[in-house]
C-alpha cells in the first residue's frame, strides 16, 4: 500500500493495487471510504466504550439499514453504503490490510 498524505504530511488514506481507502470523507470526520475498482463502501471503527458521540450517533443510524459489522473483541469495523458486486468481505480485507499496515489514522 502507498500512503496518501494531506497538506500537513499526515496519513489520510492509502492506494493499493485496485483501489483506495480514505480515513474520513464526511464533514464530521466520522467515516471513511474504500474503493475497489468501481465499487465503494463507507466504513468506520466503533467501540461501545471509547467512541465519541458523533460515532455513536452514526452507529445507531447505520445499524437500522443494510450494513456489515466485523467484531474483534469489542473493536468493530462497520461497513455500510456498499455498492453492488463486491462483497462486504472484499471490503473488509482491504480495511484490515490498511489497519494492519499501521496506516489507519481513524482508530
Amino acid at each position: 500500500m502507498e500512503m496518501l498524505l494531506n497538506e500537513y504530511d499526515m496519513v489520510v488514506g492509502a492506494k493499493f493495487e485496485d483501489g483506495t481507502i480514505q480515513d474520513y470523507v464526511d464533514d464530521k470526520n466520522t467515516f471513511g471510504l474504500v474503493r475497489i475498482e468501481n465499487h465503494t463502501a463507507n466504513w468506520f471503527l466503533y467501540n461501545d466504550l471509547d467512541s465519541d458521540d458523533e460515532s455513536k450517533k452514526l452507529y445507531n443510524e447505520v445499524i437500522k439499514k443494510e450494513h456489515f459489522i466485523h467484531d474483534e473483541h469489542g473493536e468493530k469495523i462497520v461497513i455500510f453504503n456498499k455498492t453492488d458486486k463486491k462483497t462486504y468481505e472484499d471490503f473488509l480485507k482491504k480495511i484490515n490490510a490498511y489497519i494492519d499496515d499501521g496506516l489507519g489514522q481513524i482508530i
Side-chain angles (χ1 to χ4, degrees):
M1 284 193 180
E2 177 186 336
M3 291 183 286
L4 296 175
L5 305 175
N6 67 10
E7 64 271 13
Y8 306 108
D9 291 332
M10 293 178 62
V11 176
V12 294
K15 290 182 185 181
F16 46 87
E17 181 180 321
D18 54 354
T20 59
I21 188 167
Q22 295 171 269
D23 288 338
Y24 302 114
V25 295
D26 67 318
D27 58 346
K28 295 179 183 177
N29 291 337
T30 52
F31 63 88
L33 176 76
V34 60
R35 180 183 59 80
I36 304 171
E37 298 162 349
N38 293 325
H39 312 285
T40 61
N42 292 116
W43 72 286
F44 64 100
L45 296 179
Y46 181 80
N47 180 305
D48 291 328
L49 299 175
D50 298 327
S51 292
D52 63 21
D53 290 340
E54 287 297 327
S55 294
K56 289 178 181 179
K57 181 179 174 184
L58 176 62
Y59 180 81
N60 288 325
E61 291 173 12
V62 166
I63 61 172
K64 295 176 186 174
K65 304 174 188 174
E66 183 181 345
H67 66 282
F68 175 86
I69 296 175
H70 176 74
D71 191 338
E72 294 252 346
H73 312 289
E75 188 73 14
K76 299 174 183 177
I77 298 174
V78 182
I79 305 171
F80 63 108
N81 290 342
K82 179 184 78 68
T83 60
D84 299 319
K85 306 288 182 198
K86 295 292 179 186
T87 66
Y88 282 111
E89 288 77 12
D90 292 331
F91 289 107
L92 178 63
K93 287 177 190 174
K94 297 298 182 181
I95 295 166
N96 272 329
Y98 179 61
I99 293 169
D100 290 347
D101 280 353
L103 298 176
Q105 298 297 313
I106 199 165
I107 298 173

